[in-house]
Amino acid sequence: MIPSTKPPKHLKMRPPVAVAAERTEDLGPPKIEIRALNFYYGDVRSLHNITMSLADKSISAFIGPSGCGKSTLLRVLNRMYGLYPRQRAEGEVLIGGRDILGPNVDVAELRYRVGMVFQKPTPFPMSVFDNVAFGLRLGGGIRGAELKSRVESALRDAAIWDEVKDKLHADGRSLSGGQQQRLCIARAIAVKPEVLLLDEPTAALDPISTLRVEETLQALREKYCIVVVTHNLQQAARVSNVTGFMFMGELVEIGPSSRIFTSPQDRRTDDYITGRFG
Amino acid sequence: MAIIDPRHAAKQLIYERVFRSATLSAAILVLLILGGVAMSLLRGAWPAISHFGFSFVAREIWNPVTDEFGALAPIYGTVVTSVIAMLLAVPTGFGIALFLTELCPPLLKRPIGVAVELLAAVPSIIFGIWGLFVLAPVLQRHVQPWLIAHLGHIVLVGKLFKGPPFGIGILTAGVVLAIMVLPFIAATLRDVFDTVPAMLKESGYALGATTWEVMWNVVVPHSRVGIVGGIMLGLGRALGETMAVTFVIGNAHRISSSLLAPGTTISSAIANEFTEAVGDLYTSSLIALGLLLFLITFTVIAAAQAMLRRLERRSGAAV
Ligand SMILES: Nc1ncnc2c1ncn2[C@@H]1O[C@H](COP(=O)(O)OP(=O)(O)O)[C@@H](O)[C@H]1O
Ligand SMILES: [Mg+2]
């Protein structure tokens, strides 16, 4: 199944930079705890017995070949799967110590606490300002001057303020792709979520925009528990503290990114990061 | 493979030309037909136009005996019945479409969708008969007395619900029209809402929005252009519908302040009277009515186009 020939040289990962190693040290207590999680699309099981903890104020990256269940994992964490009949999760998932899979969970409130950014930019058909204000206005709680300042600080945190401060009333869809994605990040962090999920946030972006988004993530690391799915191994190595490798619905291994990319414990991880499959 | 047979290339060129001229002439044919219809309407209506001038659209009188004709009553009836129809059908169609796309259990989705499409397939004469024998008596006995009793005393609005409950009349015609255009509006809006990307909706849910908030704040704004299109499709049908309206409107060339009173519309007046029209001026006046309907429909479509262009420009999305 796995070709035994050595991969071409350019596919080999360069050893990760030393900075990545430092980052793994002072990881705080876990923000997300997952125990024996199984996920089903109808009768098909797509996640197998996943158990792990993810730290707060850090970036956890998940890598793995297409269809291995990375998106599914994210969609459990904000119960997005609940929108669709016949999808269900079993097991235990705690965010900030609170169970999120139970029947009595207020899903809207959970999603307010857990932000999400998608594979493609999804600006709403409204102005830049209204996009960012969307979540803040939902509860009806925040308006007026406070709304304005919250929108501004979210746009600043997402490193897009300087580019849009003169066109807050332009349609969000008129921005460039990279700007749209950072707008979506601003929209997600405007409500000050506890956790930020990103599903291949740079998949649809050019290299420069990708870099800007990565810088944005770096800056957000201090405030949030960030979980990012990526196809791009260099990206995982560049931005994350912890990397998990998933394969066919299983979490093969998870650990400090510097270790995963230099001395993975599992043969499959090694094959994947050296480009032998996937 | 790289060598192209010159004969083959020449043949392709000919095919290309034939195809292009065939499609071009089809497109031109549409313009010719449209022009022809407009011309012959104008020619047929000319005697009435030259005889009555502008007063034709400003007068309510319609007297075949004295050969005096004015189009105000049918214009009024056409506009008012269509407005009533849209007021009833647009919110209902909205509700049906949103329910079908966002809330409906998958098991019910198909049956309800098919039912909506079947409703659209019912011939208008059936609606006419049903309106006359079933709906009109029900409205007369149960709904109109209630309207008169409860709304009849309110200032301004009250005028609309005065007088005896005739059963047939402007209001009944509006209700029948609403039922007739409802499936078109609901089906178009459903198709429009179905094209909203799941990811966009999920982005709303991901912020903690409820189903209602996602529908109202994301799905509807995203579908603005399609919504205008769907409503205009319904309005176009309501303005031109003839058969069912003729059955239930009462066919009186009269403008009454009450919606319960009988009236007429342009198309039902033409259908009713064309075979009996004696005298050139009478016939010509009916054709002039047709020309007016043509203009009204044209204006509605042009207004819709202008509105769509404005919406598109405002969204500024070049995607
Ligand atoms: N809506 C769905 N219905 C059924 N199966 C699905 C659905 N979405 C994903 N899957 C399946 O679940 C598995 C994991 O998918 P996904 O989480 O999207 O993978 P990844 O994001 O890692 O590419 C795949 O085998 C995929 O075919
Ligand atoms: Mg995916």
Side-chain angles (χ1 to χ4, degrees):
Chain A
M1 193 165 61
I2 299 157
S4 56
T5 49
K6 280 249 165 187
K9 203 154 197 152
H10 67 273
L11 279 179
K12 273 224 154 182
M13 283 289 303
R14 277 172 296 135
V17 273
V19 207
E22 287 168 29
R23 287 183 205 139
T24 60
E25 270 144 38
D26 47 3
L27 294 182
K31 180 78 192 173
I32 302 176
E33 290 170 85
I34 300 176
R35 287 188 210 113
L37 172 67
N38 286 293
F39 189 87
Y40 300 85
Y41 287 106
D43 300 323
V44 183
R45 182 149 72 147
S46 292
L47 291 179
H48 297 261
N49 248 321
I50 292 190
T51 297
M52 64 179 164
S53 305
L54 301 175
D56 202 359
K57 307 201 192 320
S58 73
I59 300 182
S60 309
F62 286 89
I63 56 172
S66 279
C68 69
K70 306 181 295 292
S71 299
T72 306
L73 179 65
L74 291 193
R75 296 166 68 82
V76 171
L77 297 178
N78 62 357
R79 297 234 344 220
M80 196 57 86
Y81 70 86
L83 292 176
Y84 304 92
R86 293 178 53 72
Q87 302 188 9
R88 77 203 147 84
E90 283 172 6
E92 199 178 21
V93 177
L94 306 178
I95 293 184
R98 283 154 71 186
D99 173 43
I100 65 155
L101 294 187
N104 300 324
V105 174
D106 177 349
V107 181
E109 190 260 353
L110 168 71
R111 294 189 186 131
Y112 195 82
R113 291 196 290 138
V114 180
M116 186 165 195
V117 175
F118 295 78
Q119 245 173 50
K120 278 189 249 159
T122 52
F124 296 142
M126 52 188 77
S127 73
V128 170
F129 185 92
D130 289 341
N131 259 281
V132 183
F134 191 94
L136 297 168
R137 281 178 176 144
L138 280 181
I142 300 162
R143 18 178 117 242
E146 195 195 348
L147 184 68
K148 270 193 182 142
S149 79
R150 287 283 291 270
V151 168
E152 178 176 339
S153 68
L155 287 165
R156 281 188 194 283
D157 285 351
I160 191 183
W161 172 251
D162 290 330
E163 289 159 68
V164 299
K165 63 171 185 264
D166 298 323
K167 37 183 168 180
L168 291 176
H169 297 289
D171 194 289
R173 295 168 297 177
S174 65
L175 303 177
S176 76
Q179 291 174 330
Q180 286 184 16
Q181 193 63 311
R182 278 177 285 138
L183 175 67
C184 291
I185 294 177
R187 183 175 69 193
I189 60 181
V191 299
K192 302 199 171 142
E194 298 169 33
V195 175
L196 184 60
L197 311 172
L198 302 105
D199 192 351
E200 302 191 30
T202 59
L205 303 187
D206 62 90
I208 307 271
S209 308
T210 299
L211 221 61
R212 302 290 325 260
V213 169
E214 285 181 15
E215 285 164 11
T216 307
L217 292 184
Q218 298 284 13
L220 295 174
R221 180 204 312 272
E222 296 144 32
K223 293 191 188 164
Y224 300 97
C225 169
I226 297 178
V227 184
V228 55
V229 160
T230 177
H231 243 103
N232 180 334
L233 300 182
Q234 275 87 352
Q235 182 169 69
R238 273 194 301 264
V239 304
S240 69
N241 304 91
V242 167
T243 297
F245 172 64
M246 294 181 68
F247 188 64
M248 293 176 71
E250 282 177 55
L251 180 67
V252 173
E253 66 180 301
I254 183 166
S257 303
S258 52
R259 182 177 69 63
I260 295 287
F261 284 105
T262 47
S263 50
Q265 316 267 284
D266 195 286
R267 168 97 201 281
R268 290 168 292 178
T269 316
D270 194 30
D271 286 341
Y272 184 71
I273 61 176
T274 52
R276 249 170 290 213
F277 68 91
Chain B
M1 277 313 277
I3 303 157
I4 298 168
D5 180 352
R7 269 174 312 165
H8 184 67
K11 221 158 124 195
Q12 273 203 332
L13 201 67
I14 291 172
Y15 283 150
E16 181 77 5
R17 288 225 177 103
V18 169
F19 182 65
R20 188 183 300 189
S21 37
T23 48
L24 179 69
S25 42
I28 290 178
L29 190 65
V30 172
L31 287 178
L32 285 179
I33 292 174
L34 191 68
V37 169
M39 280 306 295
S40 50
L41 272 179
L42 204 59
R43 233 182 80 194
W46 190 249
I49 295 173
S50 56
H51 189 266
F52 296 111
F54 181 75
S55 76
F56 183 68
V57 294
R59 294 205 309 166
E60 192 188 330
I61 188 163
W62 188 269
N63 192 338
V65 181
T66 58
D67 251 1
E68 279 184 285
F69 300 102
L72 202 56
I75 292 175
Y76 171 84
T78 301
V79 172
V80 172
T81 51
S82 295
V83 167
I84 294 172
M86 299 317 279
L87 284 178
L88 295 174
V90 168
T92 318
F94 237 84
I96 293 174
L98 284 176
F99 176 76
L100 282 177
T101 46
E102 307 296 328
L103 300 169
C104 186
L107 228 71
L108 281 177
K109 202 168 166 161
R110 266 191 66 78
I112 297 180
V114 169
V116 167
E117 270 144 35
L118 280 179
L119 193 60
V122 175
S124 66
I125 187 123
I126 307 281
F127 279 109
I129 295 171
W130 174 81
L132 183 62
F133 291 111
V134 180
L135 183 67
V138 168
L139 289 180
Q140 181 177 27
R141 254 176 261 140
H142 304 291
V143 180
Q144 295 183 346
W146 187 91
L147 289 174
I148 295 167
H150 290 86
L151 303 178
H153 313 296
I154 304 172
V155 245
L156 292 175
V157 187
K159 273 199 196 148
L160 298 174
F161 305 101
K162 277 230 158 70
F166 279 107
I168 53 175
I170 297 269
L171 181 69
T172 310
V175 173
V176 169
L177 277 179
I179 297 170
M180 292 179 69
V181 299
L182 177 64
F184 289 92
I185 294 179
T188 319
L189 292 187
R190 175 200 56 190
D191 293 346
V192 168
F193 295 154
D194 264 339
T195 63
V196 178
M199 223 186 257
L200 191 68
K201 287 187 266 184
E202 288 182 4
S203 300
Y205 288 114
L207 288 162
T210 60
T211 309
W212 171 249
E213 286 163 337
V214 169
M215 292 191 297
W216 196 245
N217 297 315
V218 179
V219 172
V220 168
H222 181 84
S223 318
R224 277 184 299 224
V225 172
I227 291 172
V228 173
I231 292 176
M232 287 305 157
L233 182 72
L235 182 56
R237 283 192 64 85
L239 286 170
E241 173 51 39
T242 312
M243 217 44 189
V245 173
T246 311
F247 269 76
V248 296
I249 198 163
N251 301 302
H253 278 274
R254 175 154 32 108
I255 298 178
S256 166
S257 65
S258 173
L259 297 179
L260 310 181
T264 188
T265 67
I266 293 177
S267 49
S268 63
I270 298 173
N272 245 341
E273 301 174 37
F274 210 83
T275 45
E276 308 156 6
V278 281
D280 289 344
L281 202 56
Y282 195 179
T283 313
S284 173
S285 296
L286 287 170
I287 297 175
L289 280 184
L291 183 65
L292 282 172
L293 184 60
F294 191 77
L295 290 177
I296 292 174
T297 318
F298 191 82
T299 312
V300 165
I301 291 173
Q305 295 279 352
M307 197 163 153
L308 290 180
R309 262 200 304 280
R310 252 191 50 216
L311 280 176
E312 266 157 19
R313 203 166 336 122
R314 209 166 29 166
S315 74
V319 206

